[in-house]
């Protein structure tokens, strides 16, 4: 069984100032997604599903199919690609959309767009985050081990210190879990920075208080492992969400909210998987030079070939 990789690539990167999913950051013009695909293939994934916006789907699909035309899975089979769009009007029957709404419905809504094309265990990642080889290996192994499971999901937790940006404050969901490594809660913290006294602090989204945080705490970078029954569970929660928020202009349906609801109502449990990998990404445009330098270092030291995809 080869798991599927679902890539959230519909966001336009407002803070970054452009379509960062298409930005060439590697030494031969590779994008962050290119590295994620490379690592996923090495970890045994067999299909990639992209969630994109209709406005750039054609350009995106053409670029992807040309770039990965010669890529093979570890068993020699061609890597399969599927492209699905996330649009505001893709909501369940019986609900109406506020005609003034422009903001997308959020990451959990984006995942639901793939319900018709994913029938196997799958991973979810952001298109603009670098997660590292170990993270894909750990999650790929977990998905294969849970091929026949229901109501058991996973999240790859990164040490908070390994996810901070030197260019500004970031938002992270801090994970709490029990002795069995099962997730009990995720609390979103905003504007997380390492201050001049080397202490990490952030604004608790529940209390609005600025609090001290443990730099070794595991946080969510939106790297999840799900079995197909997730779609059914998430759709029911989305319908409940819309009953209250269908006319809102900015409320979004996020993956952590969906998972937390499943944990609380007993329909699923989520294992917290830790990774030694250090996350990096381009949250701000000022992050770009450091990311370019990091990819060059990874190529120079032989972690990745250069170019990543020859003749492309």
């Amino acid at each position: 069984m080869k798991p599927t990789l679902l890539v959230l690539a519909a966001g336009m990167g407002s803070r970054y100032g452009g379509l960062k999913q298409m930005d060439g950051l590697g030494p031969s013009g590779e994008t962050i997604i290119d590295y994620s695909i490379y690592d996923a293939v090495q970890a045994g994934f067999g299909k990639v599903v992209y969630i994109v916006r209709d406005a750039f789907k054609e350009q995106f699909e053409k670029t992807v199919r040309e770039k990965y035309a010669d890529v093979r899975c570890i068993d020699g089979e061609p890597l399969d690609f599927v492209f699905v769009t996330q649009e505001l009007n893709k909501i369940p029957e019986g609900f109406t959309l506020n005609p003034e709404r422009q903001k997308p419905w959020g990451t959990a809504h984006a995942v639901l767009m793939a319900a018709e094309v994913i029938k196997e265990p799958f991973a979810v990642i952001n298109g603009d985050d670098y997660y590292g080889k170990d993270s894909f290996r750990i999650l790929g192994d977990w998905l294969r081990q849970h091929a026949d499971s229901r109501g058991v999901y996973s999240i790859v937790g990164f040490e908070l210190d390994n996810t901070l940006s030197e260019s500004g404050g970031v938002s992270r969901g801090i994970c709490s879990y029990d002795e069995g490594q099962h997730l009990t809660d995720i609390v979103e913290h905003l504007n997380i920075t390492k201050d001049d006294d080397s202490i990490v602090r952030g604004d608790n989204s529940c209390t609005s208080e600025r609090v001290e945080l443990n730099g070794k705490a595991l946080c969510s970078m939106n790297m999840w492992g799900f079995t197909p029954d997730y779609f059914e569970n998430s759709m029911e929660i989305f319908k409940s969400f819309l009953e209250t928020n269908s006319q809102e202009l900015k409320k979004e349906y996020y993956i952590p909210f969906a998972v937390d609801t499943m944990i609380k109502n007993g329909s699923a449990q989520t294992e917290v998987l830790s990774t030694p990998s250090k996350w990096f990404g381009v949250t701000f445009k000022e992050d770009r030079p450091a990311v370019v330098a990091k990819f060059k270092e990874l190529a120079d030291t032989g972690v990745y070939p250069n170019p990543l995809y020859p003749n492309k």
Side-chain angles (χ1 to χ4, degrees), residues 119-189:
K119 306 302 179 183
E120 58 284 322
F122 64 102
V124 176
I125 64 168
N126 290 334
D128 50 11
D129 288 322
Y130 173 82
Y131 295 99
K133 288 178 175 292
D134 286 325
S135 303
F136 283 97
R137 175 184 55 78
I138 290 166
L139 187 51
D141 288 345
W142 187 93
L143 289 168
R144 279 184 288 272
Q145 292 166 8
H146 292 80
D148 299 320
S149 299
R150 289 182 60 86
V152 181
Y153 311 141
S154 63
I155 179 174
V156 178
F158 289 75
E159 287 192 6
L160 182 59
D161 275 340
N162 288 342
T163 73
L164 302 180
S165 170
E166 296 182 0
S167 303
V170 297
S171 298
R172 301 286 182 257
I174 307 299
C175 299
S176 298
Y177 45 91
D178 60 24
E179 294 180 356
Q181 293 292 112
H182 294 117
L183 188 70
T184 57
D185 201 11
I186 297 183
V187 177
E188 189 78 5
H189 288 73

Side-chain angles (χ1 to χ4, degrees), residues 5-12 19 21-22 33 48-65 81-90 104-107 109-114 117 125-127:
L5 180 67
L6 190 155
V7 182
L8 301 177
M12 295 299 290
L19 185 55
Q21 292 89 347
M22 304 290 278
I33 295 178
V48 180
V49 176
Y50 284 100
I51 306 296
V52 298
R53 298 295 294 275
D54 191 60
F56 61 85
K57 177 179 180 291
E58 183 177 352
Q59 173 203 0
F60 199 100
E61 181 171 354
K62 181 176 183 294
T63 300
V64 166
R65 292 198 181 280
F81 289 94
V82 180
F83 300 83
V84 180
T85 60
Q86 179 189 18
E87 302 298 339
L88 287 176
N89 60 356
K90 291 188 175 182
W105 284 111
T107 53
H109 174 256
V111 173
L112 283 173
M113 300 300 96
V117 299
I125 64 168
N126 290 334

